[in-house]
Amino acid sequence: MTNRIIAPSLLAADYARLGDAVCQMEAAGADWLHYDVMDASFVPTLSFGAGVLKAIRPLTSLPMDVHVMAVHPYKLIDDLMDAGADGITYHIETVEDGPALIERIRARGLRVGVTLNPATPVQRLLPVLDLVDMVLVMTVNPGYGGQKMIPECLDKVQWIRSRCPELDIQVDGGINRDTVAMAYEAGANIIVAGSAVFHAQDPAQEIALLREAGR
C-alpha cells in the first residue's frame, strides 16, 4: 500500500475564486486535487466539466484526480483527459463493460479508478478489481458536500483491503478530523476531504492533521 494521500475536493471551494483555491491547496500541502464531474442525472446536482478543468490545469502541478459521476461517462472522459486529468475514476453502477473503459483510459497513460455508492454491494467490483489502480468507496450518497459519513461503508474498505493489500483505496464523504482515523483503520490510504479543508481556518494545518491521524 502506498503512503497516505490527501486530496482536497474542489467541490467545496469558492467557485468564484476557484483558481485561487487550487493554488491555496497546493501551498497548503495537498497531494492531489479531487475534481468531481456531476451530470445532474446519475447524481442530483451539476458540477464542473472539461472546460473548467482545462482552465485550472496550468495553475498547479498537483495530480488532478477526476471522479466522473455520470450516466454516460463515455461521453465525457475523452474531453476530461484532453483537459488535463491525471486519473479517471468511473462508477461501477454506470458502466456495463468495465474492462473496455479501463483499457480506453489506460491507453492515454492515465491512472484508472472505480467507484461504488453506499448501496452498491462490494462484490460488484470483482470483475475489475485486478484491473484498476484504485477503488473509491463513497462514504456518503454522492451529489452534495458537507454530509455525515456513513460508517458502515468502511466495511467495504476492509473487504477490499483484505483481498488487495497493495491497492490504493480512496474514501470520499464526511471525512474530517473526527472520522479520518476510522477510514485509515479500515484500510483506506487516500482521503478526499472537502468542507473539512476548505472551511478550516488553517487549511495547511488541517491537511497535516488528516494525514497524521491515528499514527
Side-chain angles (χ1 to χ4, degrees):
M1 184 172 62
T2 59
N3 292 332
R4 292 177 173 183
I5 291 171
I6 307 299
S9 173
L10 293 172
L11 200 64
D14 179 350
Y15 298 169
R17 303 178 60 217
L18 193 58
D20 292 340
V22 166
C23 298
Q24 179 192 32
M25 289 301 109
E26 181 165 14
D31 301 294
W32 295 359
L33 290 173
H34 190 74
Y35 188 88
D36 287 310
V37 177
M38 301 178 177
D39 68 349
S41 183
F42 179 64
V43 292
T45 45
L46 189 66
S47 67
F48 314 114
V52 174
L53 178 60
K54 185 177 181 180
I56 63 174
R57 174 70 277 184
L59 303 178
T60 180
S61 61
L62 294 180
M64 284 288 182
D65 175 39
V66 177
H67 176 197
V68 180
M69 291 175 269
V71 173
H72 301 294
Y74 277 100
K75 295 181 178 180
L76 303 174
I77 62 168
D78 286 332
D79 286 344
L80 290 165
M81 291 190 289
D82 289 343
D86 293 283
I88 298 284
T89 303
Y90 73 93
H91 269 262
I92 196 79
E93 301 90 354
T94 67
V95 175
E96 291 186 7
D97 190 349
L101 181 62
I102 291 166
E103 183 178 350
R104 180 169 168 179
I105 297 168
R106 281 209 190 285
R108 295 284 299 271
L110 276 68
R111 285 172 52 89
V112 186
V114 61
T115 314
L116 71 167
N117 279 340
T120 304
V122 70
Q123 291 80 7
R124 286 277 304 274
L125 295 172
L126 284 171
V128 298
L129 202 51
D130 294 333
L131 304 178
V132 295
D133 301 297
M134 180 180 79
V135 173
L136 166 52
V137 175
M138 292 301 301
T139 45
V140 298
N141 291 301
Y144 300 98
Q147 300 182 65
K148 291 184 178 180
M149 187 182 77
I150 304 170
E152 293 79 11
C153 295
L154 297 179
D155 293 342
K156 297 178 182 180
V157 176
Q158 291 180 322
W159 187 93
I160 298 162
R161 179 59 67 213
S162 69
R163 286 158 177 77
C164 306
E166 302 301 320
L167 186 67
D168 281 329
I169 303 177
Q170 185 178 70
V171 287
D172 181 2
I175 306 297
N176 53 47
R177 61 171 70 184
D178 297 321
T179 59
V180 68
M182 291 190 294
Y184 288 136
E185 185 177 352
N189 68 297
I190 303 177
I191 302 298
V192 176
S195 302
V197 173
F198 280 100
H199 298 171
Q201 288 189 341
D202 186 341
Q205 181 184 55
E206 204 65 27
I207 288 171
L209 285 170
L210 291 172
R211 187 179 286 115
E212 298 302 319
R215 281 182 169 166

